[in-house]
Amino acid sequence: MTTHHFHPTHYHATIGPHEPVLRIAAGDTVVTTTVDAYGRDARHEQVTAGSNPQAGPFYVENAEPGDTLALHFDHLYPNRDYGYTSTAVAANVVDPQYVGALPERARAEWRIDRARGTASLVKPATKLGNLTLPLAPMLGCFGVAPPDGQAISTTTAGQYGGNMDYRGFVAGVTVYLPVFVPGALLFLGDGHAVQGDGEIVGTGIEVSFDVQFTVRLLKGKRINWPRGENAAYIFTVGNARPLDQAVQHATTEMLRWLQEDYGLDALGAHILLGQCVEYDLGNMFDPAYTMVCKLPKRWL
Amino acid sequence: MTTHHFHPTHYHATIGPHEPVLRIAAGDTVVTTTVDAYGRDARHEQVTAGSNPQAGPFYVENAEPGDTLALHFDHLYPNRDYGYTSTAVAANVVDPQYVGALPERARAEWRIDRARGTASLVKPATKLGNLTLPLAPMLGCFGVAPPDGQAISTTTAGQYGGNMDYRGFVAGVTVYLPVFVPGALLFLGDGHAVQGDGEIVGTGIEVSFDVQFTVRLLKGKRINWPRGENAAYIFTVGNARPLDQAVQHATTEMLRWLQEDYGLDALGAHILLGQCVEYDLGNMFDPAYTMVCKLPKRWL
Amino acid sequence: MTTHHFHPTHYHATIGPHEPVLRIAAGDTVVTTTVDAYGRDARHEQVTAGSNPQAGPFYVENAEPGDTLALHFDHLYPNRDYGYTSTAVAANVVDPQYVGALPERARAEWRIDRARGTASLVKPATKLGNLTLPLAPMLGCFGVAPPDGQAISTTTAGQYGGNMDYRGFVAGVTVYLPVFVPGALLFLGDGHAVQGDGEIVGTGIEVSFDVQFTVRLLKGKRINWPRGENAAYIFTVGNARPLDQAVQHATTEMLRWLQEDYGLDALGAHILLGQCVEYDLGNMFDPAYTMVCKLPKRWL
Amino acid sequence: MTTHHFHPTHYHATIGPHEPVLRIAAGDTVVTTTVDAYGRDARHEQVTAGSNPQAGPFYVENAEPGDTLALHFDHLYPNRDYGYTSTAVAANVVDPQYVGALPERARAEWRIDRARGTASLVKPATKLGNLTLPLAPMLGCFGVAPPDGQAISTTTAGQYGGNMDYRGFVAGVTVYLPVFVPGALLFLGDGHAVQGDGEIVGTGIEVSFDVQFTVRLLKGKRINWPRGENAAYIFTVGNARPLDQAVQHATTEMLRWLQEDYGLDALGAHILLGQCVEYDLGNMFDPAYTMVCKLPKRWL
């Protein structure tokens, strides 16, 4: 049960079988930082190239293909005062005939007040003025090395996690990821101070983060897609296009979970899910879209 | 401002240019009933053939193509003690490879306690026992006659409304529908005592309803897709396949609304939506799927 | 075996349960005309409003729900010298990010030389000059009244046929359509002198047609989707969005056909289709897209 | 203009920045072999693990990011007498409700007569008997290292090529691939003696191949998606899900090609494509589906 303080010095543009930066054991906690999606750190310095650069990978001792990695987000919080968003909804999120009406894709700047827990729009000047939103810090991209020796861009997502941009990945949540390679090889990055569903402008309020997480290992537990839980819900995550397929992955994973781990018979799982399921939209911007299938724990 | 008490005696399997059953004026209130999706009424008697039979159409005096009909749900509540759900998630909602694992599609029976506001599973026998859920009564299908003289099955949805199966269509909500024909020709049916997101088993808890609604007319106000509002949110509805396209319709409609009626400039609308938008899943069962784009009123 | 000469005097914007214009018997032939997609006839006069106005419906004596209507196109040919196309690929057929690069949607004019069997571009002036293409006359939209009393816009398609814009619907082809209402109620229109796959500019070379067709009736033969055959192929048609779903419908219908009518066992049907199937794209412009699943007759 | 005779001794399960096995120059020809999709070679021996193992990568001297690699298939032919197909159409290619009717996914065996140019079904026993098909040898999977240091499974496809399973990739064709890394790093594998459109059973007749190809380099020529040409057509390839998106990629690439390299103005390119385009379906089995946009050279 060691707590590691780790300061990243280089970053990855792919999630894959890269050289581990730290070896940790099940039960260990890591205190570290992530840079923003453009490669800037807490001092606002460009320390790596952009596009969701990832800290890690963290090698989890004894993790083997066929296990599940449980990743608890202990703490996720911006570690600087400026964040950025895009100014235009993405072309793929509006009617094709409406694309010509989209504003130019530029950068908006937000002032983050970490003490008060708010983010305020600084520019451009719009009728929103200095719109001020409550912080809801979440991690946009994290995952473990995918199967078959693949190294996959941090702009997309799959069964191994990746750039899911789900607002539910906040401090207090436990995420379960399937292990495909020895050591699991955990990566993290792309913190958002605030984000709307779907990450429809292609960004949350992009900012560098202080991160603390704790890992556990579920030996011999096989899962197919990321799972998670918070105080009120269990949930499963599907990453694919179109959204329909992401829903199919997440729903299938939930049906399996209910029957394998919650002792429900098939009929019970289906009847329960039919009347109590909820769905959230992760991102609808990346090559793979994300849908989340949720079930309130009170019904379990 | 008349209150009409109307008892339906026949029902429609399509939403289209049918003979009006009642003429009402803007500002009027109608107290009526709907039968369940299988055509059974409050006494549990089969009064019409199944598949979301609709009461109506109600002709709204002075409504003309190019207007918008505002429909306020004053009261929506089950008017009998039994409801039904399907027992299996639909094949299109799970991975194609998982379809073989689906249970047979049969009917589950629920006891509705209207005084306590609950629904309890009666059969089949599963590990859920007599699972008891709080009522959350909503109307699955309603709409106005579509354009071009079309009459469209009540199993699907479009710009005119239809079978959207959105959990947010509850008492207290105001829905806005584009008027395509003189009198608008409003239809209603398909009450659900409870329903999960996506109506993924193809049913909510299907039951007959007592319904009270009030209409207003927004003369000369053109909209493209259903809109709505409750105390906390404004929202827009897209109906299409795949879900991606439903999101596109709903998001485009919201961008128009923000700029036309809430005084936002384009940049402001995009920046706001990017960080504050929420999406809900209506049904993912019908020929047309439904996605809802929501914005909290506190940001407007 | 009567040959009817029928001159249409009014047209329909929906395919539905409209009053028949002519009653014909199985075996009968009809010689008639269709107007172009904009409602103009052989004299280039506007005789009805636009959007694929349909001649008919033709009532086929003795056709009942559960039968199949066999429709043989004896003759399909332009009956005037001018046709029109759109000048821009539709926004939904290009990358969302490329929509801004599309030219404005205007009308191009083509001179049809019926004797030589060619169509030549007249305007606008482009580097194509007077591009001259061989005629390949096909019927873009035809179908029978859909089920459940529906009347559906001639801009879309479904199990009943409709606006499929498939280049394979030429003279010499036999099409099979499921009968949903007494008399089948056959509609036809939207002739194209030439058309690319996908009807990606939203038009073929739109022109009025001389049409001759002969109907037969397959009593008690149930099919789910349009089927067809020419000298070399049998084929099935799926109409839906996205294209994936259209492929699913067409492929499922072909698997059924091979097993029900060609005496193949399931394994044989699957192995054969796997190595010998071909797919064509009908339209990718309308609300419902069209995919065609083909199998060369030589393997049957 | 060297001809290299290269015998592969190891294979890759990903297309990525792997150690080159041979360095070649623009203008050079390579005579080599590929193993089948299951990792078996000409002697039918298992020489590597399955799933489209790739020979290569071949490093093309002087190839740099921003160039285009022209790959001419001089010769593609089976080099042994046995091939294999799957016996069942994939679950994602049929209606979800029809999945239960699919036969079990087993292996069919085919005898290849290389002298006569045919493949005959050996087993299982079906009503097809010893169905004999003409060989149409094509390469299912090939590509260059993708951008951003990615290594991507040979089961899928993207802008870099990959597992496209397009029947048009036969001897005599020239394919153009965008270069993302120094040396381009060309991979090849997954030969099919015969294949239906869509590779809907998940296989062609899988067999090891003799391969001869010649490379050229188009310095400074940027393309976004694979392009190709044969005697009659130019074509572009889109790889994505759903098929709609694959069409969008391919069509956009074709519009660019016509305007950049064939001297067409935008209006001319759109008008021409609208009436003369053809589409083919590559695979509809892999994570990314493939659509091909074709234009007859006679119109250029």
Side-chain angles (χ1 to χ4, degrees), chain C residues 87 89 92-93 95 103 127-128 194 196-197 203 242-244 248-249 252 263 265 268 270 274-275 277-279 289 299, chain D residues 87 89 92-93 95 103 127-128 132 194 196-197 203 242-244 248-249 252 263 265 268 270 274-275 277-279 289:
Chain C
T87 57
V89 171
N92 56 303
V93 182
D95 289 344
K127 295 206 174 147
L128 299 173
V194 175
D197 279 352
T203 74
L243 290 172
D244 308 24
Q248 291 172 344
H249 294 323
T252 302
D265 45 342
H270 281 252
Q275 302 312 313
V277 73
E278 301 176 26
Y279 289 92
Y289 296 160
W299 306 123
Chain D
T87 58
V89 171
N92 56 302
V93 182
D95 288 345
K127 295 207 174 144
L128 299 173
T132 297
V194 175
D197 279 352
T203 74
L243 290 172
D244 308 23
Q248 291 172 344
H249 293 324
T252 303
D265 45 342
H270 282 252
Q275 302 313 313
V277 72
E278 301 176 26
Y279 289 92
Y289 296 159

Side-chain angles (χ1 to χ4, degrees), chain A residues 30-50:
Chain A
V30 176
V31 178
T32 188
T33 57
T34 57
V35 292
D36 73 16
Y38 312 109
R40 290 175 177 265
D41 69 6
R43 299 158 306 163
H44 211 251
E45 289 191 5
Q46 187 90 33
V47 294
T48 183

Side-chain angles (χ1 to χ4, degrees), chain A residues 11 24 36 46 49-50 54 56 99 120 147 198 201 283 288 295 300:
Chain A
Y11 299 88
I24 60 179
D36 73 16
Q46 187 90 33
Q54 298 285 293
V99 169
S120 301
V201 293
N283 90 66
L295 191 66
L300 291 171

Side-chain angles (χ1 to χ4, degrees), chain C residues 235-292:
Chain C
F235 62 88
T236 54
V237 182
N239 302 310
R241 268 201 199 189
L243 290 172
D244 308 24
Q245 189 181 344
V247 170
Q248 291 172 344
H249 294 323
T251 306
T252 302
E253 186 70 11
M254 180 60 83
L255 285 167
R256 288 194 170 115
W257 198 0
L258 293 177
Q259 294 172 74
E260 289 169 8
D261 296 327
Y262 286 92
L264 283 179
D265 45 342
L267 264 189
H270 281 252
I271 290 172
L272 177 62
L273 212 58
Q275 302 312 313
C276 299
V277 73
E278 301 176 26
Y279 289 92
D280 284 343
L281 175 62
N283 90 66
M284 190 179 155
F285 179 78
D286 300 339
Y289 296 160
T290 297
M291 288 290 291
V292 178

Side-chain angles (χ1 to χ4, degrees), chain A residues 77-103:
Chain A
Y77 211 72
N79 61 15
R80 72 171 193 232
D81 295 340
Y82 281 91
Y84 303 92
T85 67
S86 150
T87 58
V89 171
N92 56 303
V93 182
V94 299
D95 288 345
Q97 295 75 12
Y98 191 75
V99 169
L102 298 179

Side-chain angles (χ1 to χ4, degrees), chain C residues 8 27-28 49 57 69 84 91 118 139 154 168 201 226 261 265 292:
Chain C
D28 284 2
L69 181 72
Y84 302 94
T118 58
L139 213 51
T154 56
V201 294
D261 296 327
D265 45 342
V292 178

